[in-house]
Amino acid sequence: SSLFYYFFDRYIMTATSEEIKSLLASTDSELYEQIGIYLHELEFTTDILDDDNDFKDLFAETDDCDRIGIPTTPPSLKQFVIARALAIIKEFTTQSSNVLILRAQQLHHSLQSANSDVYREIGAILLRYQVHCADITDADHLKRFLSKPDIARMNLRNAAKQKLAFNKVLRIVKDTQ
């Protein structure tokens, strides 16, 4: 009897590679859509996930990360993206993955509603990485998601402009929580 429930639970909790691909595509992030395609190509399913490190090892090769579009520098951003993808996939089996996706979309929407192109662009970047309000508690956390070219493109090289923009984003984050 308990053997039946073990296999039943295992079957119910399994997400197919097609479901994972669709789930990650539903994030509105091209990056996570590409991760889903990559996992689909590997025929990855949740029932073979014994250890979180096994999942992380699927992204160990820089060539794969470059092809998918996962940033490899700074390493903390790569780790964040992989951990967030894993969290979304793991939550799929408990039907909570939509909550994770909605949190990122909520922050994106709040920043898109701002009057500044800078905040809208930061919102788009944060959505790309599926960042939630809880992921940003100070300017250093925000900087982790913005590359030097992003900062230059938004004309935030000036320390005072950057501080002003980051403080405004942090205020929006706080108001969104």
Side-chain angles (χ1 to χ4, degrees), residues 38-109:
Y38 171 71
L39 293 173
H40 183 66
E41 290 170 356
L42 295 174
E43 297 182 17
F44 176 82
T45 58
T46 56
D47 62 333
I48 59 173
L49 185 64
D50 293 331
D51 182 351
D52 291 354
N53 288 325
D54 291 342
F55 183 81
K56 293 172 187 171
D57 288 344
L58 294 173
F59 302 93
E61 297 178 30
T62 303
D63 289 345
D64 287 333
C65 289
D66 290 344
R67 184 172 58 86
I68 297 165
I70 298 173
T72 54
T73 56
S76 63
L77 182 53
K78 176 185 174 185
Q79 293 166 357
F80 177 87
V81 168
I82 294 167
R84 182 54 44 95
L86 178 60
I88 292 169
I89 291 167
K90 283 175 118 178
E91 292 297 322
F92 177 74
T93 59
T94 63
Q95 305 297 320
S96 299
S97 58
N98 286 339
V99 173
L100 291 175
I101 294 167
L102 288 173
R103 286 181 186 154
Q105 291 171 342
Q106 179 184 25
L107 177 57
H108 176 252
H109 177 72

Side-chain angles (χ1 to χ4, degrees), residues 155-174:
N155 195 23
L156 295 177
R157 288 178 289 226
N158 175 295
K161 287 181 184 179
Q162 189 178 103
K163 183 177 180 179
L164 177 68
F166 287 1
N167 283 338
K168 174 67 175 179
V169 169
L170 291 171
R171 183 176 304 138
I172 293 170
V173 166
K174 183 179 177 189

Side-chain angles (χ1 to χ4, degrees), residues 4-158:
F4 168 77
Y5 286 110
Y6 170 78
F7 286 110
F8 180 75
D9 287 345
R10 196 78 171 158
Y11 174 75
I12 293 297
M13 293 177 54
T14 299
T16 67
S17 65
E18 189 63 42
E19 289 171 323
I20 292 168
K21 179 182 165 189
S22 295
L23 173 68
L24 293 174
S26 74
T27 62
D28 293 334
S29 168
E30 185 178 329
L31 173 60
Y32 284 83
E33 181 177 357
Q34 290 302 313
I35 292 170
I37 291 168
Y38 171 71
L39 293 173
H40 183 66
E41 290 170 356
L42 295 174
E43 297 182 17
F44 176 82
T45 58
T46 56
D47 62 333
I48 59 173
L49 185 64
D50 293 331
D51 182 351
D52 291 354
N53 288 325
D54 291 342
F55 183 81
K56 293 172 187 171
D57 288 344
L58 294 173
F59 302 93
E61 297 178 30
T62 303
D63 289 345
D64 287 333
C65 289
D66 290 344
R67 184 172 58 86
I68 297 165
I70 298 173
T72 54
T73 56
S76 63
L77 182 53
K78 176 185 174 185
Q79 293 166 357
F80 177 87
V81 168
I82 294 167
R84 182 54 44 95
L86 178 60
I88 292 169
I89 291 167
K90 283 175 118 178
E91 292 297 322
F92 177 74
T93 59
T94 63
Q95 305 297 320
S96 299
S97 58
N98 286 339
V99 173
L100 291 175
I101 294 167
L102 288 173
R103 286 181 186 154
Q105 291 171 342
Q106 179 184 25
L107 177 57
H108 176 252
H109 177 72
S110 294
L111 289 164
Q112 291 300 306
S113 299
N115 292 329
S116 168
D117 290 339
V118 170
Y119 307 131
R120 287 190 287 274
E121 186 164 350
I122 290 172
I125 292 167
L126 297 179
L127 180 66
R128 171 179 166 77
Y129 298 127
Q130 290 295 290
V131 177
H132 307 159
C133 291
D135 298 323
I136 303 172
T137 56
D138 59 31
D140 288 335
H141 288 129
L142 182 58
K143 284 180 187 178
R144 175 169 80 172
F145 302 105
L146 303 174
S147 67
K148 288 182 181 180
D150 292 334
I151 290 172
R153 187 177 56 255
M154 291 183 280
N155 195 23
L156 295 177
R157 288 178 289 226
N158 175 295

